[in-house]
Amino acid sequence: MEIVTRMMDGSLPYDVKEARPGSPVLGPPIRRDEKIEHLQKVPMFRGCSQRQLRALARITEVVEEPAGKVLTRAGEPGTEFFLIVDGTARVEVSPQKHGRLGPGDFFGEMSLLDGGPRSATVVAETAIRLLVIDRRNFWALLTEVPRLTQALLVTLSRRVRQAEQSLNS
Ligand code: CMP
């Protein structure tokens, strides 16, 4: 009753917009047939045929999370790969090293590739919409979209180079 009373007098916000000023507010959960529209927004998938998009829609989930949500936690096991559709996330590699990921960026590939624990904590900076692919479907995704495999290799090489530079400096 207390909660209802506070909602009525406005002291407890019950609208997401009020609860999270400054964050984009995501719409209602998406319908199945909207998934392809979200897939088409991801630059990586722009060259995909309708057949490929339908295959991708079968193996991906669209997930919406609020700002502040921990998406991966360093040291914990990881079973999912994420592609950002809308919103931004902060990557906490170490107390000194942070990065930001935005629409079109991906994360969570390292644990799926080598089976090791999460290498970094990733937190939603704003409300965020993600395409999520589980371990079982990750390899199917790479087969379906060779461009993604290339992008993963480029990203991993860049990270190794950066890690070596920070070790040497
Ligand atoms: P994974 O280790 O599965 O989970 C945490 C993710 O953070 C990791 O995969 C990468 O996708 C991402 N990540 C790790 N290190 C960096 C970095 N230096 N810069 C950007 N992203 C990173």
Side-chain angles (χ1 to χ4, degrees):
M1 198 60 192
E2 156 77 337
I3 291 177
V4 176
T5 311
R6 289 187 56 206
M7 281 178 170
M8 298 298 287
D9 73 15
S11 62
L12 182 71
Y14 55 96
D15 178 324
V16 182
K17 234 177 240 156
E18 287 179 35
R20 298 182 193 289
S23 289
V25 176
L26 303 176
I30 70 142
R31 296 193 316 272
R32 254 180 119 78
D33 58 359
E34 286 179 76
K35 208 188 264 185
I36 287 185
E37 282 173 37
H38 289 304
L39 286 163
Q40 280 171 322
K41 278 200 227 164
V42 177
M44 190 82 65
F45 299 148
R46 282 213 182 115
C48 287
S49 64
Q50 284 301 312
R51 187 201 65 75
Q52 282 175 310
L53 288 171
R54 280 197 301 275
L56 288 174
R58 276 195 295 276
I59 62 173
T60 55
E61 286 303 323
V62 178
V63 173
E64 295 168 3
E65 297 288 6
K69 172 84 180 178
V70 176
L71 304 166
T72 71
R73 201 180 289 277
E76 290 188 352
T79 57
E80 288 159 329
F81 171 71
F82 304 86
L83 264 155
I84 300 178
V85 180
D86 299 304
T88 61
R90 179 180 161 91
V91 185
E92 297 168 359
V93 183
S94 71
Q96 298 78 28
K97 193 166 177 221
H98 296 155
R100 176 173 290 140
L101 302 173
D105 290 333
F106 53 80
F107 60 95
E109 75 291 349
M110 291 172 70
S111 289
L112 295 202
L113 288 170
D114 70 0
R118 293 297 194 196
S119 59
T121 295
V122 181
V123 184
E125 225 174 21
T126 64
I128 195 163
R129 181 178 285 131
L130 302 153
L131 291 174
V132 184
I133 294 102
D134 65 17
R135 181 186 294 283
R136 196 167 41 96
N137 288 312
F138 180 61
W139 298 103
L141 174 74
L142 296 186
T143 310
E144 201 60 54
V145 191
R147 263 185 77 194
L148 182 56
T149 310
Q150 290 161 13
L152 283 183
L153 291 172
V154 170
T155 301
L156 289 170
S157 304
R158 204 172 283 150
R159 280 193 205 135
V160 171
R161 202 185 288 281
Q162 282 169 358
E164 279 174 354
Q165 275 165 2
S166 51
L167 276 179
N168 294 333
S169 62

